[in-house]
Amino acid sequence: MSDDRETDTASESSYQLGRHKKSPSSLTNLSSSSGMTSLSSVSGSAMSVYSGDFGNLDIKGSVQFAIDYVDSLMEFHVFVAQCKDLAAADVKKQRSDPYVKTYLLPDKGKMGKKKTLVMKKTLNPVYNEILRYKIDKQSLKNQKLNLSVWHRDTFKRNSFLGEVELDLETWEWDNKQNKQLKWYPLNRRTAPIAVEAENRGEMKLALQYVPEPFSGKKLATTGEVHIWVKECIDLPHLRGNHLNSFVKCTILPDTSRKSRQKTRAVGKTTNPLFNHTMVYDGFRPADLKEACVELTVWDHHKLTNQFLGGLRIGFGTGESYGTEVDWMDSTPAEISLWERMVNSPNTWVEDILPLRMLLIAKLTK
């Protein structure tokens, strides 16, 4: 199904990172984990997760919208009419592919984001769409409306085109003029509320490197990396208590489907217990310097998987087999766990790591 909506937390479009095109031979035949509970794939591609580019474009132009609370429906409505004189993401052709996104703050995750359609090749998009929030009026008065305009880029990060923020606590709801469409100048992001800074929960896990899993044989063997996903802690609320989360693992630079393993899905809790071990073989000692374990947590809902957070555990050098790659970006805590594993073969090393925003590349067939 494609309605051209920009879905930056559960996108069916791919974002191709600078991954090594040819996986080294020792990492091309990664084994499946024992006792693997597979989930039916909901999509032919991995989800793209955009954190967004801020400050790359001059902020200009304005947006026309109106807000209202419909008592009979117990809904807050944002009527997004149009924008004019937006910044051009494509400077040469003087155009953008803009869409409008709204959040209710401070709890972005609880109410979720709403978005308009993407209007292509224009600096003056017309939407005439109503974005609806199911919320009681009293709760609404404790919120702020954050409305932002973005340029959708299929191949790069989406670009920020400006925002407007309204304090709904001081809003005069009974004033009829406040129900009318108004033009608001787009502003720069003054107090960043970047997704990366949000609390995305934590993962408790353990790693082990087994250099010679088949000891006793005369022929030299390549080692195995064992990844024990124990549990996640305080995952963000997306749909109240209806979270249905699972963990996906890929060993980079191998993005083939046989590299991907998953846990079972655990429902109705923000503290899912997985207790699932994944085993990958084909690791020579030298490969440990070049590879990275990418673990991502997803909420499975209907026909989409929504990204919750992830880890990249490796040496974080920015390179893999002599090629610069975006995914070799491990944090100090992630690097520390990998180093402990490498330095303590045949021993489980454990940690609790904070989940973070990742940019995820398309898996190859």
Side-chain angles (χ1 to χ4, degrees):
M1 180 180 70
S2 175
D3 62 358
D4 206 29
R5 285 185 183 273
E6 198 291 331
T7 50
D8 54 1
T9 52
S11 174
E12 298 299 330
S13 63
S14 66
Y15 180 90
Q16 191 67 41
L17 295 177
R19 296 182 186 247
H20 201 260
K21 292 294 187 294
K22 295 182 179 179
S23 300
S25 58
S26 63
L27 288 180
T28 54
N29 294 309
L30 298 164
S31 69
S32 298
S33 66
S34 56
M36 189 64 202
T37 304
S38 64
L39 298 173
S40 58
S41 176
V42 299
S43 161
S45 64
M47 304 302 181
S48 296
V49 180
Y50 295 87
S51 54
D53 277 343
F54 299 93
N56 284 0
L57 299 173
D58 290 332
I59 305 305
K60 55 181 288 192
S62 53
V63 56
Q64 187 188 43
F65 68 95
I67 64 173
D68 190 17
Y69 188 81
V70 183
D71 292 287
S72 59
L73 299 175
M74 292 187 66
E75 287 184 352
F76 172 55
H77 288 186
V78 183
F79 179 70
V80 181
Q82 59 186 319
C83 300
K84 65 179 180 182
D85 301 329
L86 295 176
D90 186 336
V91 178
K92 186 176 180 180
K93 296 182 179 179
Q94 279 298 297
R95 66 191 189 191
S96 294
D97 294 342
Y99 67 96
V100 175
K101 176 166 60 175
T102 60
Y103 282 109
L104 288 179
L105 305 177
D107 191 355
K108 292 172 66 175
K110 186 175 181 181
M111 296 305 297
K113 97 185 125 196
K114 311 291 182 182
K115 290 183 285 191
T116 67
L117 291 167
V118 176
M119 295 296 150
K120 294 188 175 182
K121 303 177 183 179
T122 178
L123 302 180
N124 301 283
V126 176
Y127 300 102
N128 290 329
E129 287 190 54
I130 297 176
L131 306 180
R132 296 175 169 86
Y133 288 88
K134 198 80 174 178
I135 183 173
D136 66 86
K137 197 169 187 177
Q138 195 57 43
S139 298
L140 186 64
K141 291 179 179 179
N142 297 322
Q143 311 282 322
K144 289 183 179 179
L145 171 67
N146 179 271
L147 183 148
S148 54
V149 184
W150 295 78
H151 160 71
R152 181 193 178 182
D153 194 316
T154 306
F155 303 108
K156 296 189 293 184
R157 294 188 183 191
N158 294 346
S159 299
F160 178 70
L161 299 179
E163 70 175 9
V164 176
E165 198 160 284
L166 298 182
D167 189 343
L168 302 181
E169 183 180 8
T170 59
W171 190 259
E172 296 180 6
W173 296 98
D174 297 327
N175 186 336
K176 289 185 178 180
Q177 288 188 341
N178 279 347
K179 300 178 190 290
Q180 305 299 313
L181 285 169
K182 292 183 181 177
W183 284 101
Y184 296 85
L186 290 167
N187 302 310
R188 286 191 166 278
R189 179 146 288 183
T190 51
I193 47 171
V195 177
E196 293 88 338
E198 293 177 356
N199 178 23
R200 293 182 167 269
E202 298 173 309
M203 182 185 294
K204 184 177 182 180
L205 75 160
L207 302 179
Q208 179 180 214
Y209 177 54
V210 182
E212 297 178 354
F214 305 109
S215 58
K217 286 190 177 183
K218 292 183 179 180
L219 295 174
T221 61
T222 54
E224 293 177 349
V225 170
H226 297 196
I227 303 157
W228 182 2
V229 178
K230 296 190 174 184
E231 62 182 311
C232 289
I233 305 160
D234 294 334
L235 293 177
H237 287 268
L238 295 181
R239 299 177 288 114
N241 294 320
H242 301 294
L243 203 65
N244 187 35
S245 58
F246 67 95
V247 178
K248 187 188 301 181
C249 182
T250 303
I251 304 292
L252 305 176
D254 187 357
T255 60
S256 66
R257 293 196 173 278
K258 59 188 173 185
S259 167
R260 180 176 57 179
Q261 299 184 31
K262 299 178 186 177
T263 69
R264 72 190 190 285
V266 177
K268 300 181 179 180
T269 178
T270 56
N271 296 279
L273 182 64
F274 297 105
N275 203 27
H276 182 101
T277 302
M278 306 176 187
V279 177
Y280 288 88
D281 63 11
F283 276 92
R284 301 168 302 189
D287 293 324
L288 297 173
K289 299 177 182 179
E290 314 296 343
C292 174
V293 174
E294 181 177 85
L295 290 162
T296 51
V297 187
W298 302 81
D299 173 37
H300 179 65
H301 179 53
K302 295 182 180 178
L303 296 178
T304 62
N305 291 332
Q306 185 156 4
F307 177 81
L308 300 178
L311 304 170
R312 285 209 187 101
I313 306 170
F315 280 124
T317 59
E319 291 187 356
S320 175
Y321 297 99
T323 301
E324 286 190 17
V325 290
D326 295 337
W327 48 262
M328 192 64 97
D329 62 349
S330 301
T331 66
E334 293 165 352
I335 293 171
S336 175
L337 180 60
W338 190 252
E339 288 178 340
R340 285 163 52 205
M341 182 201 75
V342 172
N343 294 330
S344 306
N346 299 306
T347 305
W348 285 106
V349 295
E350 182 179 308
D351 207 344
I352 298 175
L353 299 176
L355 297 168
R356 60 188 176 97
M357 172 61 75
L358 301 177
L359 286 166
I360 299 171
K362 181 179 180 181
L363 292 175
T364 57
K365 298 283 186 183

